[in-house]
Structure formats: structure tokens, C-alpha cells
Amino acid sequence: MKLEQKGHITKKERQDKEQVKAILKEQATGQEVKLLDVTKQAGAEDFFKLISNVIREADIDLISLDQFQLNLLAINLQRFSQCEKNINEQGLMIDGKKNPLIAASNIYLKNIQSLFNDLSLSRNARMKQLLNQIQTQKIEDPFKDLIN
């Protein structure tokens, strides 16, 4: 079951999705995602703190099961940053060949994008979430009184 879906869904599907979202929100209440030792060892502690702050401010519900992905995101951000720094220092070409760090950088970037989507941190994921909230809210029809 996709919690965010484009197109028409039945009332029952909408109710089921809202119930799942409520359960996920309840599971996340009071839980904290923690910095793992591997993230510290990778030198990605600052990235982890930055991401954690963004998540807290955006009121995104994460549970302890998400902490692995969050730590993995921090590590990938650190490694991507290091690759880009080295590419800038060494240049795009080394001895007439493409710098191998470019391929590594692209892999880390793809991992980062995937993890952002998985954690609902991307713009598209947030827009889908917001759109779904707007669609499921019981907003009174302003023209209802005019018709009756």
C-alpha cells in the first residue's frame, strides 16, 4: 500500500491510509533517532545533527527503525562532500583521464537522493504529503450555502 498516491482512490482506501498514518505517528511519538558509532567514525556527525534538526523542525515522524537510514544519509553526505572537495582540488582530469572520484561522487549522490525520498525529506515527498493532507481535510465548501 502506498501512503501517498496520485489519482483517484476510494473512500475506504483513503480511510485505510489515514489509519496507517495515524499508527505511524503514534509509533513515532517520543522516539528519538540516535547517532550510531559508524556515523561518528565516518566523520559524519555534523551532517547527522544537521539532518536531525531539519527533521525536528519539519515535524517529520521518524521511529527508531528509521535511524539506520538517517545515519546512512549522514555518511553518504559526508562522503559526497569529501569526493567533491577532492575533485575540486585534483581537477576533473588526472593524467588525461577522468577523475575516478567523479563516479564515486555520482554514486553517493544517487544514494542521497534515494534516502531523502525514503525519509520524506525531498521536496516532492513533502509536496505529496501536503497535498494528501489538503485532500483529506474536511474543508467546508464555501459555495454550499449559495446553492441551498
Side-chain angles (χ1 to χ4, degrees):
M1 170 193 303
K2 284 179 133 181
L3 288 182
E4 307 302 333
Q5 178 180 334
K6 292 181 180 178
H8 179 71
I9 60 174
T10 66
K11 185 176 180 180
K12 170 78 170 114
E13 289 172 323
R14 184 175 287 119
Q15 289 171 340
D16 290 346
K17 289 179 183 194
E18 288 305 313
Q19 185 175 3
V20 168
K21 284 182 181 180
I23 290 169
L24 290 173
K25 187 164 189 73
E26 183 179 322
Q27 287 176 344
T29 302
Q31 288 200 23
E32 240 182 86
V33 289
K34 297 178 181 166
L35 177 70
L36 300 177
D37 287 336
V38 69
T39 308
K40 286 181 188 176
Q41 293 166 359
E45 191 170 352
D46 290 338
F47 281 107
F48 180 86
K49 289 177 183 176
L50 175 69
I51 299 164
S52 296
N53 289 338
V54 168
I55 288 170
R56 225 180 340 273
E57 288 175 15
D59 199 26
I60 295 172
D61 300 317
L62 296 180
I63 60 174
S64 58
L65 292 174
D66 297 318
Q67 85 181 9
F68 176 74
Q69 284 183 304
L70 188 63
N71 279 271
L72 192 56
L73 176 58
I75 291 169
N76 275 269
L77 283 167
Q78 171 63 27
R79 291 182 179 164
F80 173 76
S81 174
Q82 190 63 44
C83 282
E84 290 300 309
K85 178 182 174 193
N86 289 341
I87 290 168
N88 287 333
E89 290 171 359
Q90 298 170 2
L92 297 175
M93 303 294 281
I94 297 176
D95 297 328
K97 295 181 182 177
K98 182 175 155 182
N99 188 334
L101 289 175
I102 294 171
S105 178
N106 287 334
I107 290 169
Y108 291 126
L109 182 59
K110 286 180 184 176
N111 290 346
I112 290 166
Q113 290 170 328
S114 175
L115 289 162
F116 263 91
N117 286 330
D118 290 348
L119 292 167
S120 296
L121 297 175
S122 72
R123 179 177 173 86
N124 285 341
R126 290 190 320 272
M127 286 175 38
K128 286 178 187 176
Q129 187 177 26
L130 181 60
L131 181 61
N132 192 44
Q133 289 172 357
I134 291 169
Q135 289 174 343
T136 57
Q137 282 180 355
K138 295 187 171 112
I139 300 172
E140 286 195 32
D141 183 359
F143 300 106
K144 180 180 174 184
D145 292 336
L146 295 174
I147 295 172
N148 291 332

